[in-house]
Amino acid sequence: MVGKTEVNIYIGTTSIYTCLGNKFETLAAMNRGRGGLSFNKQFSMFTGSLEVEMMETYTRFESLMIDQLIEVLSRTNIKLSDPSVQLIISTTKGNVELLEEDVDHPSERTFLYTSAELVAARFSASNPPIVISNACISGVSSFVVARELLLSGRFNHAVVVGCDVLSEFITSGFASFKSISEKPCRPYDAQRDGLSLGEACGAVVLTTDISRAVSPYIRLAGGAITNDANHISAPSRTGDGLFYAIRSAMAEAGLSADDIGFVNSHGTATRYNDEMESKALALSGLNTKPLNSLKGHIGHTLGASGVVETVLAIEQLRQGYIVGTYGFKESDLPHPIAISSGKQKITKACCVKTASGFGGCNAAIVLEGSDSAKLTTENHNILPQKVNVVAKYTLPQSDKAFADYIRVEFKQLGESNLKFYKMSDMSKALYIAVERLLAIEGFSEIEPTRRAIILANRSASIDSDIAHQQIVSQRLPEGPSPAVFVYTLANVSAGEMCIRHKIQGDNTFFIENRDSGLAEDYARLLIARDRADAVICGWCEYLKGEWNVDLKLLKKIYD
Amino acid sequence: MEQLIGELKEHLIEELNLEEITPEDIDSEAPLFRDGLGLDSIDALEIILILEKYYGIKLSNSAEAKPIFYSVKTLAEYIMKNRK
């Protein structure tokens, strides 16, 4: 459990596929100030859609990932069959479009892990893949998780792949939130009226071996995940959560605002997201740094966005100038930020990449270029922290139907939280289990940013996915229900717990096919590396009336 | 109007999952958001769906929605004027 000191994480080979083409085509188009969004008749909105060369026996989603993995792996000697290499997959909805075929009986392939295993098997991967489904921060989250695993010394290399494809499931859900722009989206612009969706895939090799890194060297120097603990869908009004993520990632990297050349933000172009980011950037002292959002060029590509935009940030660091923010003309933000409207030279070789998403989550990573004066060997893990399991709780099984069972459990808590009844069934099960867990030992003495929640399950949010798809398939004139759609992301259940128990630290949701102990393992790493003082961790499964919620509370031992 | 208010309360309870709340518990003139029923931005979107589903009213501008969504009474008045 003791992480190695003197480990650096370098960027190896990278590849992306966006609506503007491959990596160099996308970058060239962006450099020329061109965008790739076009009107999509099927979904009646502007999207960044892909032509996909399908692979026999694989779905569109899987074909894209395999293609990008072939791209990055063919240009390095790092192989997934090597036990020191870990594959990490970032996606929000995977093959969810398969639900359209038979909504009541979701096929095996709609389970994210089934799909991940098929992709891993294609490359004879030695280790089971790690799947992260953390809403719109999934891609950036994957880099944070990869960084922690590499620093722990368990692996020498990680291959991160991020992918999402569009379907009516997704487009109608975002439409129900009234968050889709009438025109191609315009991040940070005074006229912005919502986001544009896109599909994309990207892959990145990360390595601790400099001889495997790609020159000019870029280091993944820091990363952090936080939660607003405020609302499951509305961006924070203060920007605190994103600020904490940026602050923590920069502290990890040992860098200050002066060292940062530019910020590549989330910049979805919804009114409230962009406002929130301007506040967070002001708090971080980064509001004078050149900033761009790539959503106007390629759309919001969900679980792919953090990976694809990070690859493009790496390329911008390498070329020494950044691209503009397509669609941006004039800002009306409460806190002025230095939004780049065209090509712009950068003077410092470091970049901060951020993302924020449903469930109240935020993520930030720091990329450090090789001509940075500070590029030195990292010294972390000054003292490994000791971990104690202070409470355990398993939600009992019952002969009663879930609705009746959970109502009785909730009544026994003797409180009147009207929000409880609005939650998805998985969130309700988790709610009760967390209340009981914290009744054994609470964590009121722990500062909110030092509290974390790390969960895993098999079905992600398929129970809510079925409910949403059933509504979508009815083609109601008024459209689907946002209150159902919001729960079609597994991490939103964790987000509910963050609100309830003021958890503002790490919140990561892993998908596995059985409880391998990954969530607890990762929770222990966070404490061992002094990134959290208390972590709720474990398994949180709910599907079609059956549940399995098995939690632990870990705390740092103070010597 | 009284009948519409009663019906609207039923729809709100049903569509917003306001369990444990009866129509009598909802004060027609009290603010719907924040205090009282503790409704939030997702509930506001659901109320837009209620207007369309039961009263054929399309409302897409959220700035316009604020005064209309103030209370059950203001909602009912808006429906009276605009229902199809």
Side-chain angles (χ1 to χ4, degrees):
Chain A
M1 198 55 77
V2 180
K4 282 192 250 173
T5 52
E6 301 191 1
V7 178
N8 278 310
I9 299 162
Y10 299 98
I11 305 294
T13 50
T14 63
S15 178
I16 58 171
Y17 181 39
T18 76
C19 61
L20 286 168
N22 66 22
K23 183 170 73 179
F24 292 111
E25 288 162 355
T26 300
L27 191 67
M30 288 179 171
N31 278 333
R32 285 199 301 270
R34 277 187 39 226
L37 303 179
S38 59
F39 190 74
N40 186 315
K41 281 190 192 145
Q42 186 193 350
F43 303 131
S44 301
M45 59 178 73
F46 281 86
T47 64
S49 297
L50 301 179
E51 300 276 351
V52 182
E53 186 85 52
M54 297 282 281
M55 283 182 200
E56 210 172 294
T57 77
Y58 294 103
T59 63
R60 201 160 172 267
F61 166 68
E62 294 154 9
S63 299
L64 278 165
M65 287 200 289
I66 292 169
D67 255 341
Q68 291 306 301
L69 286 169
I70 291 171
E71 274 295 315
V72 291
L73 293 170
S74 65
R75 287 180 282 118
T76 171
N77 287 324
I78 293 166
K79 289 182 175 60
L80 289 176
S81 55
D82 174 347
S84 74
V85 183
Q86 177 62 50
L87 174 64
I88 299 176
I89 294 176
S90 156
T91 184
T92 63
K93 297 312 309 165
N95 283 324
V96 77
E97 60 189 328
L98 299 179
L99 268 187
E100 288 170 19
E101 291 161 20
D102 185 355
V103 65
D104 297 318
H105 307 94
S107 74
E108 251 324 286
R109 225 46 180 268
T110 48
F111 288 80
L112 297 179
Y113 206 79
T114 307
S115 196
E117 280 185 318
L118 286 169
V119 171
R122 174 75 172 64
F123 298 91
S124 311
S126 172
N127 298 305
I130 289 176
V131 179
I132 293 167
S133 196
N134 246 25
C136 298
I137 72 162
S138 299
V140 183
S141 281
S142 297
F143 288 110
V144 177
V145 170
R147 189 178 137 79
E148 292 302 325
L149 294 174
L150 292 170
L151 291 179
S152 78
R154 305 164 196 216
F155 306 107
N156 299 329
H157 320 278
V159 181
V160 173
V161 58
C163 188
D164 262 307
V165 295
L166 293 179
S167 58
E168 196 184 1
F169 182 103
I170 291 169
T171 58
S172 68
F174 276 94
S176 79
F177 264 90
K178 312 270 181 234
S179 52
I180 301 286
S181 176
E182 293 268 332
K183 297 270 175 63
C185 72
R186 303 182 62 177
Y188 304 110
D189 190 82
Q191 303 296 318
R192 71 187 185 282
D193 66 344
L195 56 82
S196 298
L197 291 164
E199 41 190 13
C201 185
V204 175
V205 172
L206 297 169
T207 176
T208 55
D209 178 356
I210 194 161
S211 71
R212 296 319 204 2
V214 171
S215 171
Y217 300 129
I218 289 179
R219 224 159 58 84
L220 176 59
I225 295 167
T226 61
N227 197 287
D228 294 334
N230 173 55
H231 194 271
I232 51 169
S233 63
S236 149
R237 290 189 185 274
T238 62
D240 280 359
L242 179 57
F243 162 53
Y244 295 146
I246 294 171
R247 183 178 67 180
S248 173
M250 291 193 21
E252 276 274 301
L255 297 175
S256 68
D258 280 349
D259 303 309
I260 303 302
F262 81 105
V263 178
N264 174 241
S265 63
H266 196 42
T268 58
T270 65
R271 303 284 329 163
Y272 294 119
N273 172 78
D274 293 7
E275 251 180 47
M276 179 280 286
E277 286 186 323
S278 74
K279 292 173 190 165
L281 290 162
L283 290 169
S284 313
L286 292 172
N287 45 332
T288 57
K289 299 292 170 181
L291 166 139
N292 60 12
S293 157
L294 307 178
K295 303 285 194 296
H297 299 93
I298 58 174
H300 186 351
T301 60
L302 308 174
S305 65
V307 179
V308 167
E309 292 169 14
T310 295
V311 170
L312 290 162
I314 291 163
E315 294 307 325
Q316 291 173 83
L317 278 179
R318 286 184 173 143
Q319 70 182 11
Y321 55 90
I322 63 167
V323 306
T325 299
Y326 191 84
F328 169 76
K329 284 200 184 87
E330 205 181 353
S331 156
D332 65 346
L333 296 169
H335 294 269
I337 45 177
I339 304 148
S340 170
S341 53
K343 255 164 70 171
Q344 188 175 343
K345 212 170 145 39
I346 46 169
T347 53
K348 301 281 170 63
C350 301
C351 160
V352 173
K353 164 75 197 136
T354 70
S356 301
F358 274 0
C361 50
N362 304 283
I365 51 172
V366 178
L367 300 162
E368 188 180 14
S370 58
D371 58 333
S372 160
K374 284 201 179 173
L375 185 65
T376 47
T377 305
E378 280 191 48
N379 276 312
H380 33 75
N381 285 335
I382 302 126
L383 275 177
Q385 314 292 321
K386 290 181 189 148
V387 182
N388 216 358
V389 178
V390 295
K392 287 184 193 183
Y393 184 79
T394 305
L395 193 65
Q397 297 300 316
S398 167
D399 296 334
K400 282 189 259 178
F402 179 77
D404 301 329
Y405 163 72
I406 213 72
R407 180 186 295 270
V408 172
E409 291 290 311
F410 182 64
K411 295 262 181 196
Q412 279 174 4
L413 295 176
E415 47 174 286
S416 59
N417 182 356
L418 284 172
K419 299 261 180 208
F420 179 80
Y421 295 109
K422 296 170 188 268
M423 293 180 190
S424 67
D425 286 343
M426 188 167 90
S427 304
K428 286 176 184 163
L430 181 62
Y431 186 102
I432 301 297
V434 170
E435 293 291 327
R436 301 266 192 239
L437 179 79
L438 294 178
I440 300 167
E441 175 153 340
F443 59 7
S444 57
E445 83 282 9
I446 313 276
E447 204 261 315
T449 60
R450 303 288 295 174
R451 304 175 188 177
I453 181 164
I454 308 295
L455 300 172
N457 78 4
R458 176 168 181 271
S459 71
S461 57
I462 288 186
D463 197 73
S464 291
D465 296 358
I466 291 171
H468 174 63
Q469 184 63 50
Q470 280 169 338
I471 301 172
V472 172
S473 300
Q474 288 175 42
R475 303 268 149 73
L476 300 170
E478 69 272 17
S481 157
V484 173
F485 177 67
V486 72
Y487 289 102
T488 64
L489 293 159
N491 68 296
V492 169
S493 297
E496 292 282 17
M497 298 309 107
C498 292
I499 296 168
R500 173 80 184 139
H501 300 288
K502 200 81 185 148
I503 300 167
Q504 291 195 277
D506 201 318
N507 52 119
T508 298
F509 211 109
F510 295 104
I511 310 300
E512 303 187 276
N513 63 351
R514 59 176 185 83
D515 186 3
S516 74
L518 174 63
E520 181 177 344
D521 201 26
Y522 191 70
R524 285 176 178 276
L525 267 185
L526 289 178
I527 295 177
R529 284 232 312 122
D530 200 24
R531 308 217 60 184
D533 292 339
V535 188
I536 295 170
C537 62
W539 190 253
C540 174
E541 178 65 276
Y542 179 91
L543 179 58
K544 291 189 163 186
E546 292 185 16
W547 62 91
N548 182 3
V549 184
D550 186 14
L551 303 176
K552 284 182 186 167
L553 177 64
L554 309 185
K555 278 189 183 173
K556 182 168 86 179
I557 299 172
Y558 295 88
D559 292 325
Chain B
M1 186 75 173
E2 277 312 307
Q3 193 195 340
L4 176 60
I5 284 178
E7 181 189 295
L8 199 49
K9 287 178 178 175
E10 298 278 354
H11 290 322
L12 290 170
I13 289 167
E14 170 72 18
E15 303 286 338
L16 306 183
N17 291 318
L18 299 175
E19 292 196 31
E20 316 271 304
I21 300 260
T22 64
E24 294 73 48
D25 294 336
I26 304 176
D27 177 349
S28 306
E29 298 191 21
L32 278 171
F33 288 82
R34 295 189 192 177
D35 311 329
L37 296 179
L39 303 189
D40 68 6
S41 53
I42 299 179
D43 297 307
L45 293 167
E46 291 289 339
I47 295 174
I48 293 177
L49 295 189
I50 291 174
L51 290 180
E52 184 161 356
K53 188 168 163 185
Y54 297 103
Y55 306 103
I57 299 172
K58 262 188 192 285
L59 206 156
S60 54
N61 184 347
S62 55
E64 190 190 351
K66 210 168 182 181
I68 301 167
F69 288 11
Y70 179 77
S71 66
V72 174
K73 191 167 169 230
T74 57
L75 257 178
E77 283 166 356
Y78 182 76
I79 293 167
M80 289 289 268
K81 270 186 234 155
N82 295 279
R83 73 191 300 170
K84 289 184 182 122

